[in-house]
Amino acid sequence: MLDWKLYSPEDPESRLWDVVVVGAGMGGSVLGWSLARQNLSVLFLERGLPVNPFSAAPRLGYLNKKLTVLRGDRSVELDPYLGNGPGGSTLMYGAALERFRREDFKETDYEGLQPAPMPSDWPIAYDDFIPYYQAAEELFRVCGTADPRDPDDNSPMRRPPPLSERDQHLFDAFEAAGLAPYRLHVGIDYKPGCAECLGILCPRDCKSDAMSRVLKPALVDHHANLLSGFEVESLEETEGQIKAVVGKLGAHQLRIRGRIIVLAAGALQTPVILRNSISERYPRGIGNDFDLVGRGLMFHISEMFALWPTRKLPSIGSARAISSRALNVVDGRKIGGIQSMVATVHPFHVSTVAKEVIERKLPFKIPFLRLPLTAAAVLSASFIRRAALFSTLVEDFPYHDNRVVPDQQAPSGFSIVYVNSKELDARASTMRKLVKSRLAPHRVLFLPLGDNLNYGHPSGTCRFGKEPDRSVLSPENQVHGVANLYVVDSSFFPSSAGINPSLTIAANALRVADIIAQRNHHPPAAA
Amino acid sequence: MKQFRTVVVTGAGTGIGRALCVGFTFDDYVVVGLGRTAATLEETKEVCKNELFSYLVADVADSTAVAAALAQIAAELGPIDVLVCNAAVYPRVYFLDQPADEWTRAVTINVCGVANCCRAVLPSMLERNAGRIIIVGSFADISPLPGTTAYSASKGALHPLARALSTEIDRQRYPNVLINEFNPGATQTAMSESGHEPAAVYPWLKNIVDLPSGGTTGRIFLCDREFRPDEGRKAKLKRYLLQRIGWQ
């Protein structure tokens, strides 16, 4: 295990770092690694503490405090599927490393939707981005097979382990349904005994996460430093430059200086830091001249469903296996993708769904309904366990009113406002109908889990774009008007594409690191 | 006037080993610590009482080195009365990810190291009919966690090692030579983030040192008392009554 104390700077305030990276998640770690390799002095500032994979299960959740989400008429508090600590959310992710498609970079035709979503085109050429996708895929050891519907899919992928009989049967079912399946692109080595650690930290250097593939090498091989347990609160700006990063290490306030500052605290926290950074030039927060910081928040809609094979088949084998993007665009409308989930269907989940369906249909309440339903579910457990679990990913459009706002009353320091638009619910409904109809006669059971928003995939809150009045960042991910400030977490996404964000965050971080390196040919000696 | 004078603690540079050395010196025992790293042993010396602690650098897995070290201690300070076999390693790594020689080394330190130390002190203890051997163990073998095969296997091996060794000592002839296993439970050291403070461990181990001649031998002590999982209520009552009337 890494001796973290070795890489913690003795006196972080005394040094003028070349690059200060706020947040050691996917974006921050990849960028910091790339620049450390190019001999710039890099300091990572990470709010969470290092997680030991052999200790108690790493805590899910944001600062161990709940997120406050205003969902229209009601307010919800929840623990999101987001990580905390060196490696960020990649510590827990399922390592699905999928590319956005060429059409996802283009402007979406909103067909006269009212209210209109925000512009969603990407201000960079897809062809220029492909080499960065390839580099990220090699770095994170992606395995899988090419998507037959994606002519651009030239990923240098490793061969995945063979499918179980049941999953091969389901793969063939997807094929027959015209869903053009392929092996999901995952960053997993599949060492003997691999458990496809979804939701937990891999203790075997088998799942490729930001810690193992970039952060650790940055610290051990390329002289980067990491200050953990440090919460960044704001940035100090004067004359169009960030002079320092201000935050708390325990009870002490520290002021860290860097020539270049890169924010990568996540699409929820980065805009809060910007909004809380008030200066003479930026009375409403750095980069917030046009009230765009924090707006355009996107999650995906993710709905789980169980899919039964038509006969009982052995299901021992890799579970995170099948992906389909054939429903990306249907009749001109953006719908989304389907991918395997690890874990089997649990009888209690089925009984909960049955209870909700029954209660919705009947005009009266049946007392103790849960009891017989649970009994029935337990009795049919072996049947339930034959099913494979999948998740849909439906793209949500960026709306001006869906946003993150600083909120001193909230436990996490900010609130989220997100209301599902009607068109989003309609497209999610279309996805469900398509899945059921296409995969017939295979039995499909959607398993609603309260909220269908995927809180693990926030994006869009500091979008990049060419025009300063319609974006927070330039196409180089630099905050418009602030020469030495960049943002490389998923805040920069103009659209969410209904695709797992990690690979795009990583590829873009490599791209932005190259830009920063080019703009800074001769870093002066550390002050 | 206490019965024993000289104590040897292995793995004295850190964690429980260090806490035990501190505890013993403050109870005025002469303590010699064994370890592999002089720097940490020096740090232990600084926190112990006065000049009562000294150390030797030796690897318990090396039987020749251990024999030489313990002979040197006996020659310079007098016979060793109490031996605490505490030195152990706890690699956290999945079995298939660990090189073969590392697995073997861990088991060698944790099991053979204990045997090497016992072998070096036992003859003198038997000659004088005076001695306590305390083997620091663990119940990791009962419900081991993933990534602990070498550690759990080695700790499981210590239960029969202590028991079997104690059966070889005739209780009629050598009633004051007692060999027991001591399990401190989870303790906050390099091995575990959770559990009690290392300082809490010394008083419990001291109970075993203070066992009277003819006292308990070949058993496991968990924290402050003897561990008897298989004992039903009737047996517990019988044992209590016998204890009250002084029958061991």
Side-chain angles (χ1 to χ4, degrees):
Chain A
M1 225 142 309
L2 209 60
D3 184 356
W4 295 94
K5 291 192 289 292
L6 286 176
Y7 309 105
S8 184
E10 287 233 355
D11 191 0
E13 289 180 293
S14 62
R15 211 168 146 181
L16 176 65
W17 302 87
D18 287 330
V19 187
V20 174
V21 180
V22 177
M26 182 61 114
S29 298
V30 170
L31 176 136
W33 167 81
S34 176
L35 291 176
R37 276 175 97 215
Q38 301 186 61
N39 288 316
L40 278 82
S41 65
V42 174
L43 174 64
F44 294 99
L45 300 174
E46 168 55 45
R47 178 165 52 84
L49 296 171
V51 182
N52 175 356
F54 290 106
S55 69
R59 308 169 307 245
L60 288 181
Y62 210 60
L63 258 181
N64 279 339
K65 292 177 194 160
K66 301 212 177 259
L67 280 197
T68 310
V69 190
L70 298 155
R71 301 279 276 131
D73 53 348
R74 65 187 201 285
S75 167
V76 188
E77 289 217 333
L78 52 92
D79 284 314
Y81 204 86
L82 289 169
N84 190 31
S89 297
T90 69
L91 295 174
M92 307 153 20
Y93 77 166
L97 293 164
E98 291 261 326
R99 295 183 180 185
F100 277 30
R101 305 308 197 249
R102 188 177 287 272
E103 64 252 20
D104 296 316
F105 273 33
K106 299 201 181 89
E107 174 94 55
T108 307
D109 179 6
Y110 292 131
E111 291 162 0
L113 275 175
Q114 286 299 331
M118 297 164 78
S120 63
D121 55 314
W122 290 55
I124 50 179
Y126 194 74
D127 283 317
D128 294 340
F129 204 69
I130 289 177
Y132 288 107
Y133 269 141
Q134 286 176 296
E137 281 155 346
E138 279 200 37
L139 198 50
F140 285 86
R141 295 143 79 121
V142 174
C143 74
T145 59
D147 177 1
R149 293 282 176 93
D150 182 8
D152 295 305
D153 191 348
N154 57 2
S155 318
M157 281 182 297
R158 302 164 178 232
R159 195 205 281 270
L163 288 169
S164 65
E165 282 187 54
R166 181 199 65 183
D167 286 349
Q168 185 61 55
H169 167 95
L170 292 176
F171 193 95
D172 296 338
F174 269 62
E175 194 87 71
L179 289 173
Y182 58 97
R183 294 297 300 273
L184 181 67
H185 299 186
V186 289
I188 298 178
D189 281 354
Y190 287 102
K191 287 188 174 168
C194 169
E196 289 175 310
C197 302
L198 171 68
I200 57 169
L201 178 56
C202 168
R204 303 188 55 192
D205 197 39
C206 172
K207 183 171 82 175
S208 291
D209 53 45
M211 229 290 288
S212 55
R213 299 290 167 250
V214 283
L215 185 57
K216 192 159 140 187
L219 299 174
V220 176
D221 301 326
H222 305 297
H223 313 293
N225 284 94
L226 173 79
L227 190 59
S228 60
F230 182 79
E231 175 156 12
V232 170
E233 294 171 329
S234 64
L235 310 176
E236 280 179 12
E237 179 273 341
T238 30
E239 293 161 10
Q241 294 264 328
I242 304 299
K243 285 294 184 290
V245 177
V246 179
K248 277 241 170 69
L249 183 69
H252 306 285
Q253 197 176 69
L254 295 183
R255 213 180 141 264
I256 313 285
R257 298 169 301 124
R259 291 173 48 241
I260 298 153
I261 312 294
V262 180
L263 283 175
L268 297 179
Q269 189 72 30
T270 286
V272 173
I273 292 173
L274 288 173
R275 288 280 303 261
N276 287 342
S277 304
I278 311 289
S279 65
E280 226 187 286
R281 163 73 183 81
Y282 291 106
R284 303 204 295 177
I286 292 174
N288 200 28
D289 284 345
F290 297 97
D291 188 26
L292 289 173
V293 172
R295 291 193 182 269
L297 172 63
M298 298 171 284
F299 296 104
H300 300 130
I301 297 281
S302 277
E303 294 182 322
M304 285 204 287
F305 66 90
L307 175 65
W308 272 264
T310 48
R311 63 186 194 283
K312 185 171 181 192
L313 288 167
S315 56
I316 311 288
S318 81
R320 195 114 170 87
I322 303 173
S323 177
S324 162
R325 293 221 65 94
L327 300 177
N328 218 17
V329 180
V330 177
D331 297 331
R333 290 164 81 213
K334 291 211 100 176
I335 305 297
I338 302 168
Q339 64 187 219
S340 298
M341 299 285 286
V342 176
T344 44
V345 187
H346 201 283
F348 290 138
H349 200 170
V350 175
S351 64
T352 309
V353 171
K355 178 165 179 286
E356 281 179 17
V357 168
I358 291 175
E359 286 182 338
R360 226 181 309 141
K361 295 264 163 83
L362 294 177
F364 53 88
K365 247 179 137 23
I366 303 180
F368 306 115
L369 180 57
R370 184 174 276 287
L371 227 53
L373 286 177
T374 305
V378 169
L379 285 172
S380 45
S382 74
F383 173 72
I384 290 172
R385 281 205 198 92
R386 280 188 225 167
L389 203 60
F390 287 83
S391 175
T392 63
L393 285 95
V394 176
E395 173 178 0
D396 53 341
F397 299 146
Y399 284 96
H400 196 252
D401 286 343
N402 287 345
R403 61 198 191 273
V404 181
V405 280
D407 179 358
Q408 292 311 315
Q409 309 300 325
S412 47
F414 59 88
S415 298
I416 294 171
V417 179
Y418 192 103
V419 178
N420 286 26
S421 62
K422 284 206 180 60
E423 55 83 15
L424 176 59
D425 287 336
R427 284 184 300 114
S429 172
T430 303
M431 170 62 106
R432 287 194 298 273
K433 292 201 180 78
L434 282 170
V435 166
K436 284 189 205 149
S437 63
R438 292 286 195 101
L439 287 169
H442 292 82
R443 197 174 277 111
V444 170
L445 177 66
F446 270 85
L447 299 164
L449 251 182
D451 211 326
N452 58 7
L453 276 189
N454 189 338
Y455 290 101
H457 288 175
S459 68
T461 46
C462 297
R463 53 206 38 247
F464 72 164
K466 296 201 172 88
E467 286 127 66
D469 61 341
R470 303 207 308 163
S471 55
V472 175
L473 310 174
S474 72
E476 293 75 38
N477 283 62
Q478 177 214 319
V479 175
H480 286 300
V482 186
N484 68 340
L485 179 61
Y486 296 81
V487 174
V488 295
D489 53 43
S490 58
S491 310
F492 81 91
F493 288 19
S495 69
S496 77
I499 293 180
N500 318 70
S502 306
L503 187 70
T504 302
I505 296 170
N508 188 64
L510 289 172
R511 183 188 70 100
V512 175
D514 278 353
I515 292 169
I516 290 174
Q518 265 167 22
R519 289 176 171 183
N520 295 269
H521 303 289
H522 310 289
Chain B
M1 166 110 165
K2 63 185 198 294
Q3 208 192 144
F4 299 120
R5 184 174 167 276
T6 310
V7 179
V8 170
V9 177
T10 66
T14 57
I16 291 174
R18 177 179 293 180
L20 294 174
C21 292
V22 169
F24 275 118
T25 55
F26 276 88
D27 272 349
D28 294 315
Y29 287 87
V30 172
V31 181
V32 183
L34 254 57
R36 288 179 292 171
T37 317
T40 49
L41 290 164
E42 262 301 328
E43 287 170 20
T44 300
K45 185 167 173 158
E46 273 159 39
V47 294
C48 284
K49 181 180 174 187
N50 296 339
E51 302 299 313
L52 289 172
F53 177 82
S54 58
Y55 62 84
L56 283 175
V57 174
D59 183 353
V60 296
D62 181 347
S63 60
T64 321
V66 166
L70 293 173
Q72 182 184 340
I73 295 168
E76 290 178 8
L77 295 171
I80 297 167
D81 300 314
V82 181
L83 169 67
V84 181
C85 300
N86 165 75
V89 292
Y90 186 19
R92 297 303 303 267
V93 56
Y94 274 54
F95 182 72
L96 290 174
D97 301 335
Q98 187 176 29
D101 55 350
E102 276 185 31
W103 199 95
T104 307
R105 171 95 175 123
V107 174
T108 307
I109 293 172
N110 292 2
V111 182
C112 307
V114 170
N116 291 339
C117 293
C118 292
R119 191 180 300 114
V121 303
L122 202 45
S124 161
M125 286 182 176
L126 291 168
E127 214 176 301
R128 299 172 293 120
N129 181 30
R132 299 285 178 273
I133 294 181
I134 301 165
I135 297 172
V136 179
S138 150
F139 289 126
D141 60 320
I142 309 288
S143 44
L145 298 167
T148 64
T149 46
Y151 180 79
S152 305
S154 62
K155 289 303 177 181
L158 292 182
H159 308 318
L161 174 54
R163 272 205 307 274
L165 192 50
S166 76
T167 64
E168 291 183 10
I169 298 170
D170 188 333
R171 299 207 66 184
Q172 301 306 317
R173 276 177 228 272
Y174 312 102
N176 204 20
V177 179
L178 305 177
I179 303 182
N180 288 290
E181 181 185 335
F182 168 66
N183 183 347
T187 310
Q188 290 168 35
T189 65
M191 283 192 186
S192 164
E193 297 158 352
S194 61
H196 23 256
E197 294 268 318
V201 171
Y202 172 72
W204 302 332
L205 186 134
K206 184 73 165 37
N207 291 339
I208 310 172
V209 175
D210 290 342
L211 286 169
S213 174
T216 310
T217 190
R219 309 288 313 196
I220 302 177
F221 286 77
L222 171 60
C223 298
D224 61 340
R225 64 192 62 182
E226 196 186 325
F227 179 71
R228 289 175 166 271
D230 46 341
E231 202 174 49
R233 259 182 288 188
K234 238 184 0 179
K236 269 200 177 72
L237 181 60
K238 178 175 169 189
R239 187 164 57 89
Y240 172 72
L241 291 171
L242 286 175
Q243 212 170 49
R244 285 302 296 247
I245 65 174
W247 188 294
Q248 263 95 350

